[in-house]
Amino acid sequence: MGKIEQNKEIKRRAILAAAQEIFLSEGYVLSSMDKIAAQARMTKQTVYRYFPKKIDLFQATLRHMGESLDDSFLTHLKNPNTRDALTGFAREFICFHLSDNHIATFRLLVAESAKAPEIVSIFHAVGPDDTHEKLAAFFSERLDVKDTETTIKLWLGMLLSLRSGVLMGREKPGQCQIDEHARKATDFLLAAIV
């Protein structure tokens, strides 16, 4: 990469970092290219050169945030011990969904989806993952579950129940609470299946 390309990439990353901060603190609707440019210490024209519309910048910001996400919870599904695989997945999945960026993004989407419904569509388009697909294969192959879709929805719903309190301002649970919740939800799941 030449010096010009490096400088462009540095500017692009600075704009994305500024946009992330502004979008997550002020919301999509109240964010402006002026505020983002000021946060990035650039002119508004520079920001528009990289991202012609706010929605383009929002989409790029979500992609940028996604690059740093750790979906290591899926690696647990390779564990040959089924209970350990599911418990490890559950613990990491909960931690992932309790991260500051995830909570802030979720709040943004819920708060502003009525005013700017396109942001939810963009979020889903930018962030597709293969979690459901891998869980479906796991439940089908290891536990002979026929209705994997319902099983996944119910189990992930149990795991994400801790997030509800955090979204409403409660303190994040500690690691011991997360571990216990992951274990109990997995035990409940296995008792219902096996």
Side-chain angles (χ1 to χ4, degrees):
M1 185 183 291
K3 191 141 184 103
I4 293 173
E5 288 81 19
Q6 285 178 345
N7 287 336
K8 283 183 178 181
E9 183 60 17
I10 289 168
K11 283 184 181 180
R12 189 181 80 76
R13 289 192 173 277
I15 293 167
L16 292 171
Q20 178 179 335
E21 186 170 328
I22 298 295
F23 284 137
L24 294 182
S25 64
E26 298 190 20
Y28 176 77
V29 174
L30 293 178
S31 295
S32 69
M33 297 298 249
D34 285 320
K35 290 177 185 177
I36 292 166
Q39 180 70 27
R41 293 187 167 100
M42 295 179 197
T43 65
K44 185 167 66 169
Q45 291 75 19
T46 301
V47 173
Y48 274 114
R49 209 169 335 151
Y50 284 82
F51 303 99
K53 295 183 282 188
K54 183 168 83 167
I55 196 71
D56 297 335
L57 179 52
F58 183 73
Q59 185 173 22
T61 302
L62 289 176
R63 276 202 178 91
H64 176 70
M65 290 170 65
E67 291 169 4
S68 64
L69 294 179
D70 178 16
D71 62 356
S72 62
F73 49 84
L74 290 171
T75 61
H76 290 279
L77 297 179
K78 296 175 185 171
N79 187 325
N81 180 296
T82 298
R83 181 178 301 281
D84 290 347
L86 290 172
T87 304
F89 172 94
R91 184 175 47 254
E92 300 265 347
F93 185 81
I94 294 168
C95 289
F96 172 84
H97 286 87
L98 291 177
S99 70
D100 291 341
N101 274 349
H102 182 83
I103 293 292
T105 303
F106 196 84
R107 282 183 175 143
L108 166 72
L109 294 171
V110 170
E112 303 208 6
S113 60
K115 293 179 243 169
E118 66 276 14
I119 65 173
V120 176
S121 301
I122 287 171
F123 175 79
H124 288 295
V126 166
D129 65 36
D130 56 356
T131 302
H132 273 68
E133 180 182 304
K134 288 190 176 184
L135 280 174
F138 184 94
F139 285 131
S140 177
E141 293 164 13
R142 294 234 200 149
L143 297 165
D144 198 31
V145 172
K146 303 295 182 227
D147 185 4
T148 57
E149 188 61 30
T150 300
T151 303
I152 291 167
K153 281 182 185 176
L154 292 173
W155 188 51
L156 295 185
M158 282 191 286
L159 298 179
L160 291 175
S161 65
L162 288 179
R163 181 177 65 180
S164 300
V166 175
L167 287 168
M168 297 197 324
R170 289 194 180 144
E171 188 176 328
K172 283 186 187 179
Q175 192 60 51
C176 288
Q177 292 170 291
I178 292 170
D179 292 347
E180 182 178 359
H181 186 80
R183 184 183 51 76
K184 286 183 176 179
T186 302
D187 288 347
F188 190 84
L189 167 77
L190 291 173
I193 292 174
V194 180

